[in-house]
Amino acid sequence: MLSNRGPPFFPMARFILFVFTASTIFHLQQRIAKIQRMWEVQTLESVMAENATGYLSRGMWTINAVGRLGNQMGQYATLYALAKVNGRPAFIPAQMHRMLAPIFRITLPVLRRTTARRITWQNYRLNDWMEEKYRHISGKYVRFTGYPCSWTFYHHLRDEILQEFTPHSHVREKAQNFLRGLQVNGRRPGTFVGVHVRRGDYVRIMPKMWHGVVADRQYLEQAMDWFRARYSSPIFVVSSNGMAWCWENIDTSRGDVVFAGNGIESSPAKDFALLMQCNHTVMTIGTFGIWAAYLAGGETIYLANYTLPDSPFLKVFKPEATFLPQWIGINADLSPLLKH
């Protein structure tokens, strides 16, 4: 028997029309959103360009980013201080921002490469100590060079420098959680002393190039005994780029030493955070230890007189401009140098 029902293509046609309409609306919305994002980016770039142009009219100061963490912290603090005393805007290279920003809440803006290429820079070499002439630098577009780290540049701005080098919460909390879990012979430590032992390339460079030495086991024992004599239940939190040497040469028989650092120079955040969260510091040589001591505050023991009097190192390094006056130096043993 023949059926009187019509062909089924009418419901199917309506369905196809619905899908086509919905797809068209979806793609239109995606296209509009993409155009809006492009417009926002173009607007942002335009505003940044206007700001850069404004700074260009006032001048721009920056600094070369060279070396590892301690070096770049010194360069940052020096730029911050010299730009402020001379009334110029300061910008840091992107490389420096990548080094410091993951660890600290720094505030200086980043110098865009496109802006840097538009400027004819006046390169200005700095010694590693403050000089009166640095208070009267006349250039508008100055790029500092060198390895400045001396407290004589920035110590008058100590509170601001401490603010700039405040660690991010997650960095600080990770270090504090580690320290809270430490014990000295089954008891909670009364005092935390960060110990930074600089070795690595300095083991070779100091005697051959600078007629100097690195810290030996006798120095570290003296420095740690200084704190043991003054504080109840101290614990020594050791960090180094030569941890194997530390395991063999630092006496752990008292149960008050923990080897906490990983010594990974390309990823220094953990070691540095541990040191700066301690109450006091034992340092050897190098800017990493200097900055750890400066930010930790408290009392600091450092390795003193670690080069021969005729060392070329003393032409670029002034101990009185490197170590704060209240820090306590223990003289290095130079006898290995004298034997040769």
Side-chain angles (χ1 to χ4, degrees):
M1 184 166 65
L2 296 175
S3 171
N4 293 323
R5 288 182 297 178
F9 69 89
F10 289 109
M12 180 62 70
R14 286 196 294 270
F15 175 75
I16 292 172
L17 179 62
F18 169 77
V19 170
F20 174 79
T21 303
S23 176
T24 301
I25 293 172
F26 173 78
H27 286 292
L28 281 173
Q29 289 176 335
Q30 293 289 99
R31 181 65 176 169
I32 291 170
K34 183 176 180 180
I35 292 172
Q36 184 176 8
R37 286 196 298 270
M38 291 174 61
W39 179 82
E40 289 173 350
V41 168
Q42 290 172 352
T43 302
L44 178 60
E45 289 180 347
S46 176
V47 170
M48 292 175 69
E50 290 177 6
N51 289 341
T53 302
Y55 280 119
L56 283 171
S57 65
R58 294 168 51 199
M60 262 183 168
W61 283 16
T62 188
I63 194 165
N64 275 359
V66 289
R68 292 188 283 260
L69 180 64
N71 295 125
Q72 294 198 34
M73 291 177 70
Q75 292 153 14
Y76 183 101
T78 300
L79 172 64
Y80 183 98
L82 291 184
K84 175 161 286 196
V85 78
N86 284 276
R88 298 292 186 183
F91 288 76
I92 60 172
Q95 177 185 346
M96 181 175 289
H97 186 267
R98 288 193 297 270
M99 173 69 78
L100 302 181
I103 307 174
F104 307 111
R105 298 177 180 177
I106 54 175
T107 63
L108 290 184
V110 179
L111 177 62
R112 299 171 65 205
R113 289 197 180 104
T114 53
T115 302
R117 285 196 292 265
R118 295 165 55 192
I119 298 172
T120 301
W121 295 99
Q122 172 191 344
N123 289 326
Y124 195 107
R125 179 79 180 182
L126 294 172
N127 289 319
D128 192 17
W129 52 85
M130 183 63 180
E131 298 186 47
E132 181 59 30
K133 65 181 180 180
Y134 297 158
R135 301 180 186 276
H136 312 285
I137 301 172
S138 57
K140 288 181 67 176
Y141 308 108
V142 173
R143 178 168 54 203
F144 295 116
T145 64
Y147 290 83
C149 189
S150 170
W151 61 269
T152 57
F153 287 108
Y154 49 77
H155 193 54
H156 63 291
L157 300 172
R158 177 173 170 79
D159 289 343
E160 294 178 41
I161 297 302
L162 293 180
Q163 187 68 32
E164 291 293 314
F165 290 141
T166 297
H168 295 295
S169 297
H170 69 278
V171 176
R172 183 186 66 250
E173 289 168 5
K174 187 174 181 179
Q176 290 180 347
N177 287 339
F178 179 87
L179 295 176
R180 288 191 194 102
L182 298 181
Q183 292 187 337
V184 178
N185 299 317
R187 296 181 299 171
R188 178 167 173 77
T191 302
F192 295 87
V193 181
V195 180
H196 181 251
V197 183
R198 178 70 159 89
R199 291 189 62 79
D201 55 350
Y202 271 30
V203 174
R204 173 182 53 84
I205 291 173
M206 287 308 298
K208 290 190 176 182
M209 181 180 295
W210 299 121
H211 306 163
V213 297
V214 295
D216 58 14
R217 63 184 301 168
Q218 181 182 354
Y219 162 76
L220 291 170
E221 192 66 22
Q222 284 182 269
M224 294 163 73
D225 282 346
W226 190 93
F227 284 102
R228 290 184 180 114
R230 288 163 176 79
Y231 293 95
S232 175
S233 300
I235 192 165
F236 298 93
V237 183
V238 179
S239 168
S240 175
N241 60 346
M243 290 299 286
W245 182 92
C246 294
W247 294 331
E248 294 179 3
N249 290 276
I250 296 178
D251 181 10
T252 60
S253 62
R254 298 177 181 84
D256 59 0
V257 175
V258 58
F259 299 108
N262 56 28
I264 302 175
E265 294 179 338
S266 61
S267 182
K270 176 189 174 184
D271 285 20
F272 195 85
L274 286 171
L275 294 172
M276 69 179 294
Q277 293 302 308
C278 290
N279 305 112
H280 309 288
T281 307
V282 171
M283 59 162 290
T284 54
I285 57 178
T287 55
F288 193 96
I290 289 171
W291 273 109
Y294 190 84
L295 297 181
E299 296 181 286
T300 296
I301 302 293
Y302 67 91
L303 184 67
N305 299 321
Y306 53 84
T307 66
L308 295 176
D310 63 348
S311 169
F313 190 60
L314 298 178
K315 295 179 180 179
V316 296
F317 170 83
K318 289 185 176 182
E320 66 274 16
T322 302
F323 309 115
L324 287 173
Q326 65 268 30
W327 291 1
I328 300 165
I330 295 178
N331 287 336
D333 177 13
L334 297 177
S335 61
L337 298 174
L338 300 177
K339 292 177 183 178
H340 300 286

